[in-house]
Amino acid sequence: MKRFFAFVAIAAAFGFASCNPQKGPDEPEVKLFDVTVQLAVDGTPFAVEGITVDVADAAGTATYAPVTDASGKVALTLPVGSYTATATYKTSENGVKTLYSGSTSSILVIESASSYDFTLPLTKVESQQIIIKEVYATGCPAADGSAGNSDDAYVVIYNNSDVEADASQIVFGFCAPYNANGTNKYYTGDNLLYENENWIPAYNAIWWFTSNVTIAPYSQKVIAVFGAVDFTATNPNSVDLSNPEYYWMSNNEISQYSNKKYQVAEGIPATNYLTAVPFNTGNAWALSNSAPAFFIGKMEAATVKAMCEDADNYDRTLGDKPAFYVVKFPKANVVDAVDIWSEANVAKSQVRFSADINSGYIALTNKLGNTIYRNVDAEATKALPENEGKIVEGYADDPSGIDAEASIKAGAHIIYSDTNNSATDFHVRKVASIK
Amino acid sequence: MRFRIPAVLALMSLSASVMAQKADFKYVQDANPYLTSSNAAGLGRYNEPQVSLVELGFLKDNGGLVGIDGSDDDWKAELGTESYVRISDRIAFWGRLSYSYFKGKNMGGQMLMVPDFNPVNFIESSDTTLGFKSRETYSLAGGLAYSFNDRWSAGVKAEYSAGDMVKTKDPRYRNEMMDMDLSAGVMYSPTDLVSIGLSGIFRNRVEQLMAHIYGVTDKQYYAITDKGGFLGAKPELIEGDYNFVSESSFRPMANTFYGAALQFEIGRDVRLYNEFKYLVRSGYYGKKSSSSPVFFEFGGSVLEYNGDLIFKGSDKLRRIHLDASMQKIENNENSLRYTTQQGQNTVVEYLGQNKILSRTDLAANLKYDAYLGTSGIRPSFVYGVNASLFSRDQMTTLYPSYRKHSRTQIGAGAYGRKNFPVKSGMISLRAEASYLTGFGVAAEDGSFVPGASAKVVSFDTWMNRQFEYETAGRVGAGLELGYTFFFKKGMAAFVRVSDNFTRLLTEPQYLKSAQRNSLLIAVGLNF
């Protein structure tokens, strides 16, 4: 009996010694650091109070929205991690509406760091008349369940103003490398080699219109990238690019682009064809079907042609073979850009445009029929008197809540957001807008 | 189903001894707690020449009363053999060998083989991709004790298990597991009545996981990473090599345990046996190299107690058994990024760690077994009662969000087995009943920073189903019928059939059904 009680006593002592209640919710167990982010323009602190700085962690678990103090600085407490800070500030300077925008992914809260003070550089953004409205390049599911493709890619440019736009000198290209998650030899550490240069590396070929093109106010032009046919005839999930008003990047006059897979509908006139001079290898333009860095520029056709044919204008950082040549496209001629990433490869992706051209990125999953579509500038759109009663809201994918396509069908004039930040200017639209 | 695996047959001699209880394997283990301790030096305290068991069993389970890593329709076959052998006055040996094959329908959810063992798990994001899973396990174990004299002895023990699991419907994944458990110990017995033992323990368990999509459609499959309490970030596409679950290479979930155990036994006819064990745990998930990341690193401790109070009479044996444990684990997620210097390969740069999980598990089991009529070939009547308790408290922090989870499970059971001697054999009839209930809070969510926008995701479909499985009250009953034939040379062949049925006390809200039935057929030899 004594041994039995000794046995129970040992067991009870063990039980009491083992109790260890959890800490309460007001005691976070993660190590936190005091972080500051200073807004700056051209290296000078941007001392404006009340600007919201969106800070998001790379792990995708939290966003913060602190507001700047009088010195243009925000302070917050963060655990270890990699963060992106974005800010947009609309003001009026000398009676002219002015926009400052910036984004940085260099908010690295490292455990062993000696300083947790960061700078978010802002750039004065000039509103462009012609902008990239949509990039549909990553394909859709096939009708019979077999693997789909992205032959039905198209891009849309848009006149974001109330006056007619001359798009005759608009050119189309993409920035190297093909995909955001590929090894990017233009990076050294965290910096792009051409960050402070006056060019960006255009890859493969640059396309231009072969006839005069004008875009009416608040209107668009659709350009088929590969084939300009009715793809819905064989795949209901795809799009119809056979509209006679659409344009087509034609391989017909490009001897190197011998890929005859890409056809054009008879109704599209030859005046709607674009052409290019390839400066790489390959039998067709190789716009990425998962993560392209697409841009439009403004340049006379003859100038583009000469630039692409001049080997002295090639940059060979990616390699010394024709397959790796890039053309140094002048930053001054870049009109608009969007950096598209693959959702599955975000962790290993890097931006391809320098901060003065575009900051941030927009990610999507390919082969789902999704498209990159520009967000609506709600304030500017609602301010147009002609839009009274025509704006359709309740569209959750656009931060503005405005369903642009439905509003356009109702007769509204849409002004899209243009802050030179792919993360805040675009969203992933589930369905191509021309469907 | 509890199978014993026989030792290496070449080392066993078929003794002609007619000692009855040595042929009842479970009775021998219950009467000699040193045989199942972590100290192999205790093997020498079993003085019979040999006791061995070979068993082949088939188990069929049906019913939706199962966790999210289980199947509502599965079967398992297992072949095993186990033996305790005294080779000489100084050397005693133990061996075990087994193989099992499991196949289940309608399985999906958890990707790791033993999800509850790990601080982080990977789960299919959808419950519409269920399919067949099959699992094989091979196990080989052995122990050796050497007595230097009447007082001092030493022993070593090694257990090695290897296994694999596959899912044969997209998203598919493969698991390969290796588990190595080593211990070495010494024992000092100053008198016949007292013994003190000390053993060192090392265990290494590695489970490798790789996913693959075989289908040629463009259907996308996603995996969710459960960082504790079914809380995590948004689902990740199963594609490529950059997410938690890789499609192109195996990623290891590695666990290492090292520690020591202290044994103390006193008495003869009334014996008190105690074992205290303490282990330090460490582990990680990910491939350790400059170009591939280690995503999680964790550590913890295990404190265990096993105790037996045994009353041995001329014709009976009574045993009170208590085992209790406390396991703590903390998991840290590495914050990392990929960087590429010009002209060099991409490498992983670590920014630091954030603690995301702290968990404490308490468990206790109290049993009473009575063996009556032990002077015959088999105990004429065996009965017992048991009670169990399990408690978990955990806190998951994905700053600024947090989730607290707690649950307690309480169980009780009773059984009785009557052996009826017949000509050259014995018929056994066993009945048992059980009860289990639980309570707790599946998820208590909050934020350390009021106003911060949280992007964490709660995987409620899986969470609710698993929590209901763990805590819903249920009763169970079982019947077993067996026949044993005694050969003249002390060998006995047996066959038994048993069926266990468990049912929830109320209709389930999330589980597929309220019941589960297990049918077991086993044949074997005791010698």
Side-chain angles (χ1 to χ4, degrees):
Chain A
M1 184 58 73
K2 285 183 183 177
R3 288 199 179 100
F4 174 74
F5 283 120
F7 175 78
V8 174
I10 291 170
F14 176 84
F16 281 112
S18 65
C19 290
N20 186 16
Q22 290 285 306
K23 289 187 177 178
D26 55 347
E27 298 177 33
E29 294 183 320
V30 293
K31 198 182 288 186
L32 299 172
F33 302 86
D34 294 324
V35 174
T36 66
V37 180
Q38 171 71 60
L39 302 189
V41 174
D42 295 329
T44 303
F46 194 62
V48 175
E49 187 175 3
I51 299 176
T52 300
V53 179
D54 292 313
V55 179
D57 68 340
T61 53
T63 57
Y64 308 85
V67 177
T68 56
D69 58 16
S71 66
K73 185 189 293 184
V74 296
L76 59 169
T77 306
L78 299 174
V80 160
S82 172
Y83 300 85
T84 299
T86 305
T88 302
Y89 176 60
K90 293 181 184 175
T91 185
S92 177
E93 292 180 350
N94 302 320
V96 176
K97 282 187 183 175
T98 307
L99 177 74
Y100 291 90
S101 177
S103 178
T104 178
S105 299
S106 298
I107 311 294
L108 300 176
V109 181
I110 303 175
E111 197 161 339
S112 57
S114 55
S115 167
Y116 299 100
D117 300 321
F118 302 94
T119 300
L120 170 54
L122 301 180
T123 307
K124 187 185 285 191
V125 177
E126 293 181 0
S127 294
Q128 297 290 341
Q129 187 181 30
I130 299 178
I131 57 172
I132 299 169
K133 175 188 167 185
E134 182 179 356
V135 177
Y136 172 81
T138 60
C140 62
D144 60 357
S146 61
N149 58 60
S150 53
D151 291 346
D152 56 352
Y154 70 86
V155 297
V156 178
I157 55 175
Y158 182 84
N159 182 353
N160 210 31
S161 74
D162 60 355
V163 296
E164 186 177 84
D166 181 3
S168 304
Q169 295 184 359
I170 294 294
V171 298
F172 304 83
F174 66 84
C175 189
Y178 292 114
N179 295 309
N181 55 288
T183 300
N184 192 341
K185 294 184 179 180
Y186 280 112
Y187 263 93
T188 177
D190 293 331
N191 301 312
L192 277 169
L193 288 179
Y194 47 87
E195 183 72 35
N196 299 315
E197 302 290 338
N198 62 357
W199 54 269
I200 60 171
Y203 215 7
N204 228 228
I206 301 172
W207 296 84
W208 64 85
F209 290 111
T210 58
S211 62
N212 290 332
V213 178
T214 57
I215 309 178
Y218 308 119
S219 299
Q220 66 187 31
K221 295 295 180 189
V222 177
I223 299 96
V225 174
F226 300 121
V229 296
D230 182 5
F231 288 96
T232 62
T234 53
N235 182 3
N237 297 320
S238 187
V239 293
D240 179 3
L241 293 174
S242 65
N243 189 318
E245 295 184 5
Y246 289 178
Y247 288 77
W248 178 50
M249 292 181 179
S250 166
N251 291 347
N252 291 354
E253 305 300 322
I254 307 172
S255 58
Q256 180 182 324
Y257 283 174
S258 57
N259 192 327
K260 298 305 175 195
K261 179 170 72 166
Y262 305 128
Q263 300 295 315
V264 62
E266 286 185 5
I268 296 178
T271 51
N272 284 16
Y273 294 2
L274 285 75
T275 192
V277 170
F279 43 87
N280 278 146
T281 54
N283 64 3
W285 197 44
L287 181 72
S288 169
N289 64 0
S290 64
F294 182 74
F295 71 89
I296 59 173
K298 187 171 183 181
M299 191 176 280
E300 287 186 3
T303 306
V304 176
K305 186 170 182 295
M307 182 179 66
C308 294
E309 290 174 339
D310 182 4
D312 289 339
N313 197 43
Y314 295 170
D315 179 83
R316 290 168 170 78
T317 300
L318 298 183
D320 209 11
K321 294 181 181 177
F324 304 114
Y325 292 163
V326 306
V327 157
K328 295 180 184 178
F329 191 87
K331 285 182 181 178
N333 292 78
V334 175
V335 170
D336 197 12
V338 56
D339 203 342
I340 302 171
W341 290 10
S342 165
E343 182 72 61
N345 299 320
V346 162
K348 211 174 174 184
S349 297
Q350 295 171 296
V351 293
R352 286 161 288 185
F353 295 108
S354 51
D356 52 350
I357 297 296
N358 173 82
S359 53
Y361 65 90
I362 179 73
L364 84 166
T365 301
N366 64 347
K367 302 182 186 176
L368 294 181
N370 298 160
T371 185
I372 299 299
Y373 191 94
R374 193 173 281 269
N375 296 328
V376 175
D377 184 337
E379 184 184 345
T381 300
K382 289 180 178 178
L384 294 178
E386 65 267 32
N387 286 344
E388 182 71 30
K390 297 175 185 173
I391 294 175
V392 178
E393 297 188 88
Y395 175 55
D397 289 342
D398 187 324
S400 70
I402 295 175
D403 185 338
E405 293 300 313
S407 302
I408 291 171
K409 284 193 176 110
H413 291 152
I414 297 295
I415 297 178
Y416 290 97
S417 171
D418 183 14
T419 65
N420 283 5
N421 186 327
S422 296
T424 56
D425 283 346
F426 291 90
H427 68 273
V428 177
R429 196 171 193 272
K430 303 285 192 302
V431 177
S433 70
I434 64 173
K435 268 190 83 66
Chain B
M1 179 166 68
R2 179 167 172 248
F3 287 97
R4 298 292 171 210
I5 330 166
V8 178
L9 292 178
L11 294 179
M12 296 192 315
S13 60
L14 298 179
S15 168
S17 169
V18 295
M19 289 296 292
Q21 285 69 31
K22 81 176 182 73
D24 187 329
F25 210 82
K26 184 178 182 307
Y27 172 83
V28 169
Q29 289 183 324
D30 284 351
N32 300 277
Y34 250 120
L35 295 182
T36 53
S37 80
S38 63
N39 192 344
L43 291 174
R45 295 179 65 78
Y46 181 64
N47 292 316
E48 299 303 324
Q50 174 200 317
V51 59
S52 304
L53 170 69
V54 179
E55 192 169 1
L56 171 66
F58 177 81
L59 177 67
K60 183 76 181 69
D61 285 314
N62 288 87
L65 179 52
V66 69
I68 65 172
D69 60 326
S71 167
D72 60 357
D73 184 356
D74 63 72
W75 62 267
K76 180 179 179 182
E78 186 166 349
L79 174 63
T81 175
E82 187 172 1
S83 183
Y84 296 97
V85 180
R86 175 161 286 283
I87 297 175
S88 71
D89 288 344
R90 292 185 182 273
I91 300 175
F93 175 82
W94 162 74
R96 190 181 69 211
L97 183 67
S98 75
Y99 168 78
S100 72
Y101 182 85
F102 164 92
K103 188 161 188 175
K105 290 183 183 177
N106 305 318
M107 295 185 75
Q110 298 278 15
M111 292 186 181
L112 293 172
M113 292 172 81
V114 187
D116 211 43
F117 181 76
N118 306 295
V120 60
N121 278 290
F122 312 104
I123 311 174
E124 295 179 40
S125 66
S126 169
D127 61 355
T128 62
T129 53
L130 304 179
F132 278 102
K133 276 191 187 178
S134 59
R135 185 168 58 231
E136 288 182 299
T137 307
Y138 307 80
S139 181
L140 173 66
L144 188 74
Y146 181 83
S147 301
F148 297 98
N149 49 47
D150 289 341
R151 295 187 179 185
W152 288 97
S153 61
V156 293
K157 185 189 286 190
E159 298 183 52
Y160 176 78
S161 296
D164 60 78
M165 184 171 79
V166 293
K167 178 171 180 267
T168 55
K169 180 177 176 179
D170 284 343
R172 302 166 198 240
Y173 32 92
R174 277 181 56 196
N175 305 64
E176 294 181 355
M177 182 273 295
M178 183 283 299
D179 196 336
M180 169 77 80
D181 198 334
L182 304 171
S183 65
V186 295
M187 191 164 68
Y188 175 64
S189 303
T191 74
D192 287 345
L193 300 179
V194 177
S195 68
I196 302 168
L198 181 67
S199 56
I201 302 162
F202 173 79
R203 180 185 177 193
N204 188 32
R205 184 182 191 278
V206 179
E207 180 177 349
Q208 309 241 37
L209 174 67
M210 180 170 75
H212 200 73
I213 310 298
Y214 278 80
V216 296
T217 68
D218 283 326
K219 188 171 180 183
Q220 312 279 338
Y221 298 94
Y222 292 83
I224 53 182
T225 301
D226 170 16
K227 300 181 182 179
F230 294 93
L231 193 72
K234 63 183 178 182
E236 294 183 330
L237 193 65
I238 299 179
E239 186 178 277
D241 197 38
Y242 304 139
N243 297 323
F244 288 119
V245 179
S246 172
E247 204 189 356
S248 56
S249 62
F250 277 100
R251 289 220 170 101
M253 177 76 78
N255 278 273
T256 302
F257 298 82
Y258 58 91
L262 178 69
Q263 299 87 27
F264 175 74
E265 187 177 56
I266 186 169
R268 183 183 294 126
D269 292 333
V270 179
R271 236 180 325 142
L272 177 63
Y273 169 85
N274 305 278
E275 181 178 41
F276 298 90
K277 187 188 298 183
Y278 180 75
L279 302 173
V280 173
R281 178 181 185 176
S282 64
Y284 61 89
Y285 175 74
K287 205 168 184 180
K288 285 186 174 180
S289 81
S290 60
S291 59
S292 66
V294 172
F295 294 102
F296 303 98
E297 292 180 279
F298 43 90
S301 64
V302 180
L303 183 61
E304 284 184 11
Y305 169 79
N306 279 279
D308 286 285
L309 183 61
I310 298 171
F311 303 88
K312 189 171 186 304
S314 59
D315 194 33
K316 57 177 172 279
L317 182 139
R318 299 180 194 273
R319 170 178 172 259
I320 300 172
H321 171 83
L322 173 68
D323 63 77
S325 69
M326 178 176 70
Q327 296 201 40
K328 291 187 176 184
I329 190 164
E330 291 182 348
N331 187 25
N332 302 287
E333 181 173 11
N334 285 328
S335 181
L336 54 92
R337 64 175 188 154
Y338 298 89
T339 58
T340 309
Q341 296 294 332
Q342 198 177 20
Q344 298 180 20
N345 292 330
T346 301
V347 296
V348 178
E349 179 188 349
Y350 294 95
L351 309 179
Q353 281 187 339
N354 290 314
K355 184 193 285 188
I356 60 171
L357 176 78
S358 58
R359 174 194 289 171
T360 300
D361 288 342
L362 299 175
N365 291 286
L366 182 64
K367 295 183 196 176
Y368 172 79
D369 296 293
Y371 295 82
L372 305 180
T374 55
S375 58
I377 295 178
R378 286 281 190 280
S380 58
F381 184 53
V382 183
Y383 67 90
V385 293
N386 63 79
S388 66
L389 172 73
F390 175 82
S391 170
R392 168 169 290 181
D393 271 298
Q394 78 180 20
M395 171 85 134
T396 306
T397 303
L398 302 182
Y399 194 84
S401 304
Y402 70 83
R403 165 170 288 181
K404 294 181 72 179
H405 165 89
S406 64
R407 72 173 188 266
T408 301
Q409 294 156 276
I410 301 170
Y415 75 93
R417 187 177 81 224
K418 178 69 179 165
N419 295 323
F420 301 94
V422 297
K423 184 179 175 184
S424 300
M426 175 182 77
I427 293 176
S428 303
L429 185 63
R430 175 189 162 108
E432 66 178 295
S434 64
Y435 170 77
L436 180 74
T437 188
F439 53 90
V441 177
E444 179 189 323
D445 296 338
S447 176
F448 292 110
V449 180
S453 172
K455 284 186 172 180
V456 294
V457 178
S458 177
F459 313 119
D460 291 345
T461 301
W462 299 118
M463 179 185 75
N464 291 329
R465 194 183 299 177
Q466 183 68 19
F467 190 74
E468 183 172 56
Y469 166 69
E470 288 163 345
T471 57
R474 69 204 69 175
V475 291
L479 276 178
E480 177 185 288
L481 179 65
Y483 173 72
T484 305
F485 178 80
F486 299 109
F487 294 97
K488 287 184 181 174
K489 289 198 172 183
M491 187 187 302
F494 64 86
V495 57
R496 65 171 189 270
V497 178
S498 68
D499 191 86
N500 273 272
F501 182 78
T502 307
R503 200 187 194 289
L504 294 180
L505 296 174
T506 56
E507 285 305 307
Q509 197 175 350
Y510 304 104
L511 291 168
K512 283 184 189 174
S513 72
Q515 62 262 344
R516 188 157 177 91
N517 190 76
S518 298
L519 175 68
L520 170 66
I521 302 171
V523 296
L525 279 175
N526 281 320
F527 54 94

